[in-house]
């Protein structure tokens, strides 16, 4: 048996790094500026702890385009490298200087903001460059070095006459990447990836002032101290709003409120989430939260880190502990990710509870703009559901707002069915269900408004979590069980007359679509009322909104109940009408009127109804 060590040579790995390591070539600029930022922050840390006596000053990172020479320059004023360090960090692929630095100074460098981890970022330059040069001078006052490589395993390393501390990277842009010599393209990438880097980044100059007072000043494209890096106590409401517009310059509406995230155990995470005004279109809202790692933009696809229901919010999350792959493009499976998602869920719930408690009137005023997120969260996150009872609201059609416990208390004495269940009546469309709402209110019932696209799923969840509680839409058959009380009128028709009338109705009313039910209601109530079986309607709605697969059924039949008020003058007149044709015509007319009130009279039926009424006039 023989054993040995696999030898991965530069000849083998270089083409992989160059072509396949990074999924998007444009991130070379992010990686090189991240390296420059590390070099600067390392120097800052060393001066802070007294490791070196050099003057830190106010260093910047400069990006310059030499279009004629087809070169792109990235220049920093950080700690630079000696010749030996170039050999160590540049020529040994995947030896990360940031990792070594953090290990050496792990006790004091914990919060230094150093970015690099993989030691491969520099080589992303070869995705767009045919040749790369490094001109660097160390803070240690040793001779400067000049490294050159054309993308092959061969390189040159010689002395340089560079006098000032820091590193200059020169990219000789390849013919297939000349777009990276355009100012607009570089500016776009700097704003996208480096807008909040912790070291000032200069890209050209700009003119300030007017007339003779005009001056050329450095064009600093980033904000090194964004709001999320500060403590909440340092920020005003205006600061939060200004940062929102800095993140989203084309967003003109103000956010409703914000949640400042700040945790250092068991992981590091900072950020600010904003609740914008939301539409009912869930899909349109996503991918608005930006993920950063030590102020370096990573992605706006935060799936897995942010609970799904919160991806409809806007804002920033920054964590050095988020596990990314080598190219920082994809989230890696890691226990911290679940912890971060749980923390964010808890923090959002706590903030919502405090907003509700501190200013309930303001919270109620914003309810319609935030409810879709909260209702979605109740369905998708058990931990959020547990806390939601303290602040989720159920508005009535009259504009009153209840929590669920308040609603139970307000209705317990008058909205109980024959099985002892508390029945919560709700409307999904105030206009379409107006007559049913009016009838319920006449009897003293509260009717809440639940009009979100996920209402069927939500009430199913609420019923499963609350014993002896049931929801019934105000036009549903369950309402009959609620309305039939001991003090309701006794039918004017005898049992025999009621049976006869039902038989007459069933010869005219289509059996395949309607179930005739005889009910003794108030004489002032409408003679015919159409309701839909609550269970069937709810299953149909859930199927239409994507839940049908759970029940193995995709299509539900259109079935309705025709409630006939046996105390109405119209119902009693039907029995005494000996003109069969006239009687049947009246039944059809009453049925059409009931269908019209439910929005069920359409197409040919509606046309025929209108013509029939005109002819009768």
């Amino acid at each position: 048996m023989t054993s040995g060590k696999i030898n991965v040579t530069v000849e083998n790995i270089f083409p992989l790094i160059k072509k396949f390591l990074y999924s998007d070539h444009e991130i070379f600029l992010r990686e090189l500026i991240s390296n420059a930022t590390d070099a600067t922050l390392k120097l800052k840390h060393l001066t802070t702890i007294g490791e070196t006596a050099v003057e830190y000053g106010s260093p910047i990172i400069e990006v310059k385009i030499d279009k004629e020479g087809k070169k792109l320059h990235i220049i920093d004023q950080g700690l630079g490298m000696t010749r030996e360090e170039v050999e160590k960090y540049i020529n040994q692929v995947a030896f990360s200087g940031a990792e070594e630095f953090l290990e050496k100074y792990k006790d004091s460098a914990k919060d230094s903001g150093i970015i690099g981890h993989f030691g491969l970022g520099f080589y992303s330059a070869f995705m767009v460059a045919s040749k790369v040069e490094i001109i660097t001078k160390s803070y240690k006052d040793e001779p400067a070095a000049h490294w050159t490589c054309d993308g092959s395993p061969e390189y040159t390393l010689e002395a340089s006459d560079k006098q000032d501390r820091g590193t200059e990277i020169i990219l000789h842009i390849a013919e297939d990447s000349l777009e990276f010599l355009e100012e607009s393209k570089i500016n776009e990438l700097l704003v996208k990836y480096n807008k909040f880097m912790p070291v000032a980044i200069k890209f050209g100059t700009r003119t300030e002032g007017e007339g003779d007072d005009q001056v050329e000043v450095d064009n600093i494209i980033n904000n090194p101290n964004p709001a999320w890096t500060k403590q909440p106590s340092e920020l005003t409401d205006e600061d939060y709003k200004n940062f929102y517009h800095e993140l989203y310059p084309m967003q003109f509406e103000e956010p409703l409120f914000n949640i400042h995230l700040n945790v250092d155990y068991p992981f590091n995470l900072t950020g600010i989430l904003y609740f914008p005004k939301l539409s009912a279109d869930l899909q349109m809202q996503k991918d608005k939260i930006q993920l950063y790692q030590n102020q370096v933009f990573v992605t706006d696809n935060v799936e897995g880190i942010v609970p799904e229901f919160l991806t409809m919010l806007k804002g920033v999350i920054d964590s050095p502990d988020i596990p990314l792959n080598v190219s920082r493009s994809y989230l890696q499976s890691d226990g911290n990710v679940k912890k971060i998602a749980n923390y964010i869920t808890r923090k959002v719930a706590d903030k919502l509870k405090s907003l509700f408690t501190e200013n309930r009137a303001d919270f109620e005023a914003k309810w319609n703009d935030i409810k879709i997120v909260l209702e979605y969260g109740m369905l998708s996150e058990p931990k959020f559901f547990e806390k939601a009872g303290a602040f989720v609201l159920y508005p009535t059609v009259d504009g009153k707002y209840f929590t669920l416990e308040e609603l139970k208390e307000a209705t317990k004495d008058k909205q109980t069915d024959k099985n002892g269940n508390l029945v919560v009546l709700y409307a999904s469309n105030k206009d379409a269900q107006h007559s049913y709402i009016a009838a319920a209110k006449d009897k003293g019932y509260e009717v809440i408004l639940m009009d979100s696209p996920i209402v069927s799923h939500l009430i199913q969840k609420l019923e499963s979590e609350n014993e002896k509680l049931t929801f019934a839409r105000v036009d549903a058959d369950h309402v009959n069980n609620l309305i039939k009380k001991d003090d309701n009128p006794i039918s004017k028709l005898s049992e025999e007359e009621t049976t006869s009338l039902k038989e007459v109705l069933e010869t005219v009313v289509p059996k395949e679509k309607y179930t005739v039910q005889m009910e003794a209601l108030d004489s002032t109530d409408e003679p015919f009322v159409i309701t839909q079986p609550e269970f069937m309607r709810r299953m149909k709605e859930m199927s239409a909104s994507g839940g049908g697969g759970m029940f193995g059924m995709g299509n539900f039949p259109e079935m309705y109940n025709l409630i006939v008020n046996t105390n109405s003058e119209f119902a009693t007149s039907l029995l005494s009408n000996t003109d069969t044709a006239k009687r049947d015509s009246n039944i059809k007319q009453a049925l059409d009127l009931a269908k019209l009130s439910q929005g069920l009279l359409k197409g040919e039926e509606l046309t025929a109804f209108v013509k029939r009424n005109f002819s009768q006039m």
Side-chain angles (χ1 to χ4, degrees), residues 356-503:
F356 172 80
T357 304
E358 292 166 10
N359 191 340
R360 177 163 178 164
D362 183 61
F363 192 82
E364 289 177 356
K366 293 172 178 173
W367 177 251
N368 280 335
D369 292 312
I370 65 173
K371 65 181 180 183
I372 190 69
V373 176
L374 274 56
E375 290 172 351
Y376 189 25
M378 291 170 71
L379 282 174
S380 59
E381 289 290 330
K383 290 184 181 298
F384 187 77
F385 184 90
E386 290 172 12
K387 292 176 171 285
F391 52 79
V392 165
L393 294 173
Y394 301 85
T396 70
V397 292
D398 302 318
K400 294 183 289 186
Y401 289 84
F402 294 102
T403 64
L404 188 58
E405 290 305 313
E406 290 169 347
L407 185 62
K408 289 178 182 178
E409 186 64 27
T411 58
K412 66 181 181 181
D413 295 328
K414 55 184 177 180
Q415 288 181 218
T416 305
D417 68 13
K418 59 186 179 183
N419 297 316
N421 294 314
L422 181 64
V423 180
V424 175
L425 295 181
Y426 73 96
S428 58
N429 186 314
K430 284 171 66 174
D431 293 332
Q433 294 150 13
H434 180 269
S435 62
Y436 297 93
I437 294 170
K441 287 171 63 179
D442 284 346
K443 292 176 173 58
Y445 302 139
E446 289 286 3
V447 181
I448 64 172
L449 182 63
M450 300 183 75
D451 56 1
S452 75
I454 56 174
V455 63
S456 298
H457 300 279
L458 180 60
I459 61 179
Q460 197 86 355
K461 173 75 171 176
L462 290 167
E463 287 174 342
S464 69
E465 297 288 339
N466 291 272
E467 191 177 357
K468 306 294 282 184
L469 177 71
T470 186
F471 283 74
R473 204 167 80 176
V474 72
D475 58 351
D477 56 351
H478 279 36
V479 180
N480 301 324
N481 297 329
L482 188 61
I483 291 174
K484 288 171 66 176
K485 293 189 174 182
D486 294 337
D487 58 351
N488 275 3
I490 299 172
S491 177
K492 293 178 180 178
L493 301 180
S494 66
E495 187 175 334
E496 184 179 344
E497 288 173 323
T498 300
T499 302
S500 297
L501 178 57
K502 184 176 182 181
E503 290 173 354

Side-chain angles (χ1 to χ4, degrees), residues 504-520:
V504 167
L505 290 164
E506 287 178 338
T507 64
V508 180
V509 177
K511 292 181 179 179
E512 67 277 5
K513 205 163 189 176
Y514 296 94
T515 300
V516 177
Q517 296 181 2
M518 313 302 283
E519 300 283 356

Side-chain angles (χ1 to χ4, degrees), residues 493-563:
L493 301 180
S494 66
E495 187 175 334
E496 184 179 344
E497 288 173 323
T498 300
T499 302
S500 297
L501 178 57
K502 184 176 182 181
E503 290 173 354
V504 167
L505 290 164
E506 287 178 338
T507 64
V508 180
V509 177
K511 292 181 179 179
E512 67 277 5
K513 205 163 189 176
Y514 296 94
T515 300
V516 177
Q517 296 181 2
M518 313 302 283
E519 300 283 356
L521 305 175
D522 194 279
S523 60
T524 59
D525 287 338
E526 295 174 0
F528 281 15
V529 177
I530 293 175
T531 64
Q532 193 170 8
E534 176 73 14
F535 175 78
M536 292 294 289
R537 180 193 53 73
R538 197 183 294 185
M539 291 301 100
K540 185 175 180 181
E541 287 179 357
M542 293 178 72
S543 176
S545 63
M550 292 188 295
F551 303 96
M553 293 183 282
N555 296 307
F556 293 90
E558 292 283 354
M559 287 296 297
Y560 298 93
N561 302 311
L562 177 63
I563 310 299

Side-chain angles (χ1 to χ4, degrees), residues 7-51:
N7 181 24
V8 180
T9 66
V10 173
E11 286 90 342
N12 292 333
I13 202 171
F14 211 105
L16 297 177
I17 294 172
K18 183 175 178 180
K19 292 185 178 180
F20 304 115
L21 178 62
Y22 292 91
S23 56
D24 191 344
H25 286 194
E26 70 179 26
I27 55 80
F28 80 92
L29 192 59
R30 179 191 72 184
E31 296 300 309
L32 295 179
I33 289 181
S34 295
N35 288 346
T37 301
D38 278 353
T40 306
L41 295 179
K42 287 176 189 176
L43 182 65
K44 180 180 182 180
H45 183 69
L46 292 177
T47 57
T48 300
I49 65 173
E51 186 84 4

Side-chain angles (χ1 to χ4, degrees), residues 222-233:
N222 63 319
N223 174 4
N225 300 295
W228 83 78
T229 64
K230 302 173 183 177
Q231 293 296 317
S233 58

Side-chain angles (χ1 to χ4, degrees), residues 41 45 137 182 274 281 325 388-389 401 514:
L41 295 179
H45 183 69
K137 180 171 174 59
E182 299 296 331
Y274 293 92
D281 187 346
N325 69 1
Y401 289 84
Y514 296 94

